[in-house]
């Protein structure tokens, strides 16, 4: 547009000058660019514009991908947190409470969508009862969790179980609240941690 | 007339310096019956003597139908005087060390009341002034001489019968130099010989106790300590959790459970070579090993999936895994009768998560309930049984209310399975019999901390063996 505005007055001036001279004027060299040049210029202009637009689109797409990647990471982290959320048991009990089953159900879809993920289920007990009984109890607790997953169609071979008995308390105090925290199953992802598929 | 004696006259002397002054204390505490019951003064003893409905209100410490703290037996505890040992030919220095170890052992045997207030003048070394010892109240007199032999020492012991004014028993014992590793055990063997001379029953001084102990970093290893509290030694090096040691009948090996990268597995440790090997005939989580009386087979628990069971395994031929029990419950802690015909174990097979004690024929069959389970009770918890090396008694730990503490119980199988409760203070678990079939080591927790205790099942006298440590699952060796 700028070029055109300049070119029009220049052409007009040349025509006027030619009309005023007595001799046939020598062929006037056009002062501005030729039509081809203008066309080339226009092509270049439009290419540049297209490139800029593409760059803008690319950047937007990148930003979108980054946002998605971050969102995915967050969902994977959330899925991992869900997988690792521990559950708690009653005193001398290895049966799953309603709350424990709710926590375990929240892990099911992630486990179904992430077949590479393998987990170790660690059963723990509070300090009451004999050391050896508590290892057996932790074993039964971990096994109850594995049986729950298997009953929902998950492959038993993905879950290793281990009992620490009373040896690894979350809270070493000797109180009802400490004991309640220590009667638990913990979840350790042993394979496929970077292949967690959080699903939709 | 049977003598009723109070149990749990708790006597917390560990590594007591064997001075005459401390023997005075010992003698005082050993007094029996009558005013001493009152003098002992604890609420427990009073409750035990009364055994009334009022006493039964304390459900936390009382197992229904179990006599607490009372033993009805005409146990005779004769007075023993120990004349200061003499030394000859270079044995002078060792004599007092030998004497103090012996005096300590004989006190811990709980079979003698050791006289401590000895006068300055005891008469000549050669001639025994029996009238003097009789006046002092001694029924038996122990004299000893330690002679240098160029290669260690020779200990000559004589047990005199003061009433009959004669030497009743006499023997010589080779004892290495006090700096030698075998010195204390050699003296302990002489102590056990004195017990056997007088009572015709084995002692337990020459023995050791294996147990697990927690280290500062939270790991647990297997340790061994002599029956008198000397020579605390670590024997495992797992740098993880090592638990539940069991002695082989020859005293040369210890089997135990340890956490590995694969889970709980059983190891057998050779004390002579210090080598250990992993025992793993099939997949599963392994627990609570115990040798059969033949020393050749090992019994243990394997957990696999939701089931567990007791198995035996031939260590010598590395073969013949045999299943004894099992199901969708936990069977743990096997322990065999001395003749190997029966075993006792702990199981949750009643359906409740809480274990009970069962006996079973070694060949299999139907387990028989031993612990005082009450139908519908979710509270009575009995575990960790151990069959005595003789005497047909089974010790185990039990709790009768969910909030309650554990106590040590003994089922006297020859007396219609009559139950006796040996403890009533603090928490008491994991009993194991001494080779004398009379003493029991257990893990105890008191308000001052925790440790290993030894109780005499005949008299109830209790002493702390190791105090201030997080310990567990003790097992007492055979005589060494």
């Amino acid at each position: 547009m700028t070029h055109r505005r300049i070119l029009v007055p220049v052409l007009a001036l040349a025509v006027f000058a030619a009309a005023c001279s007595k001799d046939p004027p020598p062929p006037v060299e056009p002062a501005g660019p030729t039509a081809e040049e203008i066309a080339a210029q226009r092509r270049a202009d439009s290419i540049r514009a297209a490139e800029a637009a593409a760059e803008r689109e690319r950047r937007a797409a990148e930003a979108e991908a980054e946002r998605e990647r971050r969102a995915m990471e967050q969902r994977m982290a959330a899925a991992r947190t869900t997988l690792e959320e521990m559950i708690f048991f009653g005193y001398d009990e290895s049966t799953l409470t309603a709350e424990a089953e709710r926590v375990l159900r929240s892990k099911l879809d992630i486990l179904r969508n992430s077949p590479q993920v393998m987990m170790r289920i660690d059963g723990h007990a509070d300090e009451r009862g004999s050391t050896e009984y508590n290892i057996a109890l932790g074993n039964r607790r971990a096994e109850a969790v594995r049986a729950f997953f298997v009953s929902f169609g998950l492959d038993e071979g993905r879950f290793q179980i281990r009992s620490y008995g009373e040896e690894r308390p979350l809270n070493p105090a000797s109180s009802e609240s400490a004991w309640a925290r220590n009667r638990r199953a913990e979840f350790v992802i042993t394979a496929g941690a970077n292949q967690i598929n959080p699903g939709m | 007339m049977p003598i009723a004696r109070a149990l749990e006259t708790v006597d917390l002397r560990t590594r007591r310096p064997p001075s005459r002054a401390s023997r005075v204390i010992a003698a005082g505490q050993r007094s029996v019956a009558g005013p001493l019951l009152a003098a002992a003064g604890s609420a427990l003893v009073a409750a035990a003597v009364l055994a009334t409905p009022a006493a039964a209100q304390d459900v936390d410490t009382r197992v229904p139908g179990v006599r607490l703290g009372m033993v009805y037996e005409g146990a005779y505890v004769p007075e023993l005087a120990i004349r200061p040992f003499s030394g000859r030919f270079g044995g002078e220095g060792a004599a007092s060390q030998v004497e103090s170890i012996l005096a300590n052992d004989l006190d811990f045997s709980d079979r003698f009341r050791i006289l401590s207030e000895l006068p300055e003048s005891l008469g000549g070394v050669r001639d025994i002034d029996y009238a003097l010892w009789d006046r002092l109240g001694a029924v038996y007199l122990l004299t000893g001489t330690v002679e240098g032999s160029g290669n260690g020492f020779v200990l000559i012991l004589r047990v005199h019968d003061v009433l009959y004014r004669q030497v009743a028993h006499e023997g010589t014992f080779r004892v290495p130099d006090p700096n030698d590793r075998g010195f204390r055990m050699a003296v302990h063997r002489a102590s056990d010989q004195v017990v056997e001379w007088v009572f015709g029953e084995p002692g337990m001084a020459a023995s050791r106790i294996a147990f697990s102990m927690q280290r500062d970093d939270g790991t647990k290893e297997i340790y061994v300590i002599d029956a008198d509290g000397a020579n605390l030694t670590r024997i495992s090096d797992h740098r993880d959790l090592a638990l539940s040691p069991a002695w082989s009948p020859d005293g040369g090996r210890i089997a135990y459970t340890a956490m590995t990268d694969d889970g709980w597995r059983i190891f057998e440790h050779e004390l002579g070579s210090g080598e250990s090997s992993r025992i793993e005939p099939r997949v599963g989580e392994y627990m609570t090993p115990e040798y059969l009386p033949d020393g050749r087979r090992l019994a243990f628990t394997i957990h696999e999936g939701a089931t567990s069971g007791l198995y035996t395994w031939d260590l010598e031929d590395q073969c013949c895994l045999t299943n004894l029990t099992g199901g969708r419950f936990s069977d743990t802690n096997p322990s065999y009768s001395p003749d190997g015909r029966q075993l006792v174990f702990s199981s949750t097979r009643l359906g409740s998560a809480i274990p009970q004690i069962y006996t079973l024929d070694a060949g299999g069959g139907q387990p028989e309930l031993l612990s005082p389970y009450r139908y519908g009770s979710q509270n009575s918890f009995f575990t960790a049984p151990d069959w005595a090396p003789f005497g047909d008694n089974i010790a185990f730990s039990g709790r009768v209310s969910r909030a309650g503490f554990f106590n040590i119980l003994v089922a006297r199988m020859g007396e219609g399975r009559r139950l006796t409760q040996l403890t009533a203070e603090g928490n008491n678990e994991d009993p194991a019999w001494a080779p004398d079939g009379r003493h029991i080591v257990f893990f105890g927790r008191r308000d001052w901390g925790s440790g290993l205790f030894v109780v005499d099942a005949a008299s109830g006298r209790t002493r702390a063996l190791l105090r201030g440590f997080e310990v567990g699952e003790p097992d007492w060796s055979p005589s060494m």
Side-chain angles (χ1 to χ4, degrees):
Chain A
M1 298 295 270
T2 319
H3 289 277
R4 203 167 292 171
R5 236 179 273 147
I6 297 166
L7 282 174
V8 172
V10 170
L11 284 171
L13 192 64
V15 170
F16 174 76
C20 292
S21 86
K22 290 174 182 169
D23 299 321
V28 176
E29 288 294 318
T34 64
E36 288 101 44
E37 281 174 329
I38 290 164
Q41 184 66 47
R42 282 184 182 157
R43 265 200 309 281
D45 287 348
S46 82
I47 287 169
R48 262 197 301 279
E51 277 175 353
E55 175 67 11
R56 277 194 303 278
E57 270 173 32
R58 194 179 62 74
R59 285 200 182 142
E62 258 180 20
E64 176 61 23
E66 175 66 13
R67 267 194 301 278
E68 267 178 23
R69 199 179 60 74
R70 282 194 189 151
M72 186 65 179
E73 260 180 13
Q74 278 172 8
R75 282 162 62 214
M76 279 177 73
R80 186 176 181 135
T81 303
T82 302
L83 286 182
E84 289 173 340
E85 184 180 355
M86 59 183 82
I87 60 165
F88 298 92
F89 291 84
Y91 182 25
D92 279 337
E93 289 289 343
S94 57
T95 50
L96 300 170
T97 65
E99 169 61 14
E101 288 199 355
R102 187 193 65 72
V103 173
L104 293 182
R105 274 197 301 276
S106 70
K107 303 176 197 282
L108 286 172
D109 279 345
I110 303 164
L111 287 168
R112 285 198 190 106
N113 293 333
S114 318
Q116 290 89 350
V117 170
M118 312 272 269
M119 287 209 297
R120 198 183 74 217
I121 305 160
D122 290 346
H124 297 266
D126 70 33
E127 64 185 357
R128 293 170 295 172
S130 77
T131 304
E132 290 152 341
Y133 165 79
N134 280 328
I135 291 171
L137 179 59
N139 223 76
R140 285 202 305 277
R141 285 174 175 163
E143 185 51 44
V145 174
R146 175 159 71 178
F148 181 88
F149 288 147
V150 170
S151 74
F152 279 90
L154 293 169
D155 178 13
E156 184 172 2
R158 294 172 65 188
F159 306 98
Q160 188 193 345
I161 65 170
R162 174 162 294 184
S163 174
Y164 281 99
E166 64 186 74
E167 306 294 335
R168 298 281 181 264
L170 276 185
N171 182 345
S174 294
S175 64
E176 286 293 344
S177 60
W179 291 330
R181 292 281 292 162
N182 295 338
R183 297 188 296 261
R184 69 199 191 277
E186 290 190 10
F187 301 86
V188 180
I189 298 170
T190 53
N194 51 2
Q195 288 164 287
I196 296 174
N197 177 2
M200 287 298 108
Chain B
M1 179 77 181
I3 303 168
R5 281 187 294 153
L7 296 192
E8 182 86 3
T9 27
V10 176
D11 178 5
L12 298 177
R13 290 166 298 143
T14 48
R15 304 203 185 95
R16 180 176 60 87
S19 66
R20 305 214 178 282
S22 62
R23 277 194 220 152
V24 175
I25 298 167
Q29 289 181 336
R30 298 295 289 285
S31 298
V32 173
L36 246 292
L37 283 179
S42 75
L44 161 68
V45 172
V49 171
L50 296 171
T52 60
Q57 283 171 1
D58 186 3
V59 290
D60 281 0
T61 57
R62 213 60 40 82
V63 178
V66 176
R67 288 184 191 280
L68 166 66
M70 299 294 286
V71 175
Y72 291 91
E73 56 184 42
Y76 170 53
V77 183
E79 285 78 9
L80 172 75
I82 301 172
R83 194 176 69 177
F85 284 16
S86 58
R88 293 199 301 174
F89 314 131
E92 293 81 357
S96 64
Q97 290 185 61
V98 169
E99 184 205 332
S100 68
I101 293 169
L102 260 163
N104 202 43
D105 287 348
L106 294 174
D107 179 24
F108 286 174
S109 80
D110 293 306
R111 294 174 188 268
F112 298 101
R113 192 165 311 114
I114 294 174
L115 296 181
S116 48
E117 289 165 336
L118 302 181
E120 287 294 311
S121 171
L122 298 167
V125 170
R126 265 191 230 160
D127 304 314
I128 303 295
D129 183 355
Y130 287 111
L132 167 69
W133 294 106
D134 194 18
R135 276 200 307 280
L136 292 171
V139 174
Y140 293 104
L141 169 68
L142 177 68
T143 59
T145 308
V146 179
E147 296 181 351
S149 72
N151 177 23
F153 300 93
V154 172
L155 165 66
I156 302 149
L157 288 181
R158 288 190 183 91
V159 175
H160 304 258
D161 188 320
V162 174
L163 207 60
Y164 286 90
R165 304 192 173 210
Q166 64 186 23
V167 174
H169 309 278
E170 180 172 9
T172 59
F173 305 85
R174 289 210 62 87
V175 175
D177 188 87
N179 296 321
D180 191 286
R181 256 184 40 174
F183 170 73
R184 294 186 67 91
M185 206 49 89
V187 178
H188 293 320
R189 278 191 282 271
S191 306
D192 286 343
Q193 184 62 64
V194 171
V195 167
E196 197 166 337
W197 279 338
V198 176
F199 299 96
E201 292 172 9
M204 56 75 185
S207 63
R208 306 172 83 189
I209 292 156
F211 54 98
S212 78
M213 187 158 81
Q214 192 168 53
R215 310 183 82 188
D216 291 342
D217 60 2
T219 62
K220 287 184 173 179
E221 300 283 2
I222 306 299
Y223 287 75
V224 164
I225 195 169
D226 291 354
D228 67 347
N231 292 328
L232 176 63
T233 311
R234 178 170 58 81
I235 66 152
S236 72
D237 190 20
H238 274 276
R239 295 152 201 265
D240 203 321
L241 296 167
L243 302 168
S244 312
W247 289 92
S248 66
D250 63 4
R253 293 162 287 156
I254 292 175
Y256 59 90
T257 315
M259 177 65 92
T260 69
D261 290 343
D262 304 322
W264 293 101
R265 295 294 181 273
I266 287 173
F267 293 80
E268 190 184 37
H269 179 90
E270 285 263 355
L271 289 163
S273 65
E275 285 170 13
S276 65
S277 53
R278 182 161 147 170
I279 293 158
E280 191 179 348
R282 51 162 276 193
V283 294
E285 298 285 304
Y286 286 68
M287 277 182 67
T288 57
E290 178 79 356
Y291 287 87
L292 273 71
D294 63 13
R296 175 190 176 115
R297 284 174 292 168
L298 194 69
F300 43 74
T301 297
I302 303 179
H303 284 277
E304 198 198 358
T307 64
S308 83
L310 294 178
Y311 292 80
T312 60
W313 171 247
D314 190 315
L315 294 162
E316 221 157 285
D317 292 344
Q318 295 285 300
C319 82
C320 317
L321 186 71
T322 307
N323 180 226
L324 293 175
T325 68
R328 296 182 69 83
F329 38 75
S330 297
D331 285 349
T332 61
N333 301 86
S335 174
Y336 279 78
S337 63
D339 62 8
R341 287 184 182 168
Q342 282 179 288
L343 67 148
V344 63
F345 65 99
S346 173
S347 174
T348 56
R349 60 184 53 224
L350 270 179
S352 138
I354 292 173
Q356 302 295 325
I357 308 288
Y358 297 83
T359 55
L360 176 69
D361 285 342
Q366 190 61 36
E368 198 181 329
L369 181 66
L370 174 67
S371 51
Y373 174 78
R374 281 175 300 160
Y375 181 75
S377 164
Q378 291 293 304
N379 303 324
S380 298
F381 185 128
F382 298 99
T383 190
D386 191 49
W387 207 310
F390 55 87
D392 214 11
N393 296 324
I394 295 172
F396 54 97
S397 54
R399 179 195 79 192
V400 293
S401 87
R402 284 163 81 87
F405 294 108
F406 283 87
N407 281 301
I408 306 300
L409 297 152
V410 172
R412 299 183 187 272
M413 305 299 281
E415 302 169 36
R417 306 186 156 198
R418 183 167 63 83
L419 280 181
T420 308
Q421 183 173 328
L422 293 180
T423 58
E425 180 196 358
N427 197 58
N428 308 279
E429 298 182 44
D430 298 337
W433 289 96
D436 65 359
R438 170 170 170 150
H439 289 85
I440 294 171
V441 63
F442 61 94
F443 157 67
R445 196 178 289 284
R446 301 287 181 267
D447 49 13
W448 47 259
S450 59
L452 292 177
F453 292 79
V454 173
V455 61
D456 173 19
S459 69
R461 185 181 175 225
T462 304
R463 65 183 161 97
L465 180 69
L466 182 67
R467 287 203 260 183
F469 294 94
E470 280 298 322
V471 294
E473 315 94 45
D475 192 40
W476 208 316
S477 81
S479 286
M480 293 184 157

